[in-house]
Amino acid sequence: MTGHDAMTSDTQADHILPPELVEAARRVIEANRAVGRKVALAESCTGGLVTAALSEIPGSSDVLEGGFVSYSYDAKLEMLGVSLDVLETFGAVSIAVAWAMARGAIGRTRADTAVAITGIAGPDGGSEKKPVGTVVFARAVKGGDPDDIAADMKFFGDLGRGGVRLQAALFALDLLMPDSTGP
């Protein structure tokens, strides 16, 4: 390795995450920086993977406001203000909970948009109605109508725990693009 190569600050050797995840995060940072938009995450089944991917990009603090890893019911309640009634009625992997998580993240940060992810990565925890690979996403916008729910349930299949988490993270990054119309 030459001196120049060793000094390159943004090479694959600088990243600990899969290249496709880092590249998707780079696109999100660049696109949101271009429009002056800040983002936040509320993650459950991805365990902070999306936030980690965004923070892999040098200068990401221009765009990344913060992330919440709210894995347990208590964390969803305390960190994001998800109602116990909503959790008990619909379950953690539901549109209602994902929407509440996204609204909580937007309300607790200075972000312009927030994406929430909750799901069943496996290998256990699935059911007939919500099998392993089921992930729910929601996106909230600062100042948006709290009754205009932007959430959807996706089924990635039983790709193994890592596979489900990677696909969920990639999908969430797509939702953070300024021109995204999903979920």
Side-chain angles (χ1 to χ4, degrees):
M1 184 183 291
T2 66
H4 174 73
D5 292 336
M7 294 176 66
T8 302
S9 65
D10 195 28
T11 65
Q12 182 55 41
D14 287 340
H15 304 295
I16 60 172
L17 299 173
E20 66 268 34
L21 191 60
V22 174
E23 283 310 308
R26 183 183 321 283
R27 288 190 300 274
V28 167
I29 295 297
E30 290 171 357
N32 282 285
R33 182 183 291 129
V35 297
R37 194 168 85 155
K38 293 229 180 225
V39 303
L41 282 300
E43 301 184 63
S44 186
C45 68
T46 49
L49 185 58
V50 181
T51 305
L54 292 169
S55 69
E56 284 277 294
I57 309 305
S60 59
S61 61
D62 294 349
V63 172
L64 178 59
E65 177 70 17
F68 301 86
V69 178
S70 55
Y71 212 71
S72 70
Y73 269 37
D74 286 343
K76 288 173 180 65
L77 291 165
E78 294 167 16
M79 292 170 36
L80 296 168
V82 176
S83 136
L84 182 58
D85 288 343
V86 169
L87 279 163
E88 289 179 344
T89 301
F90 299 101
V93 181
S94 65
I95 286 176
V97 168
W99 179 238
M101 289 170 63
R103 295 295 312 154
I106 206 78
R108 287 164 171 74
T109 66
R110 293 183 179 161
D112 300 298
T113 191
V115 167
I117 309 119
T118 183
I120 305 163
D124 301 319
S127 68
E128 189 174 313
K129 289 185 178 185
K130 294 178 188 173
V132 170
T134 302
V135 183
V136 183
F137 300 88
R139 185 177 57 194
V141 177
K142 186 160 292 293
D145 181 352
D147 294 326
D148 185 15
I149 297 171
D152 197 13
M153 185 177 289
K154 300 286 182 193
F155 179 64
F156 294 110
D158 189 352
L159 306 172
R161 188 171 182 81
V164 171
R165 293 177 70 204
L166 176 60
Q167 291 309 308
L170 289 168
F171 190 83
L173 287 167
D174 282 345
L175 293 177
L176 287 170
M177 292 297 285
D179 60 353
S180 176
T181 57

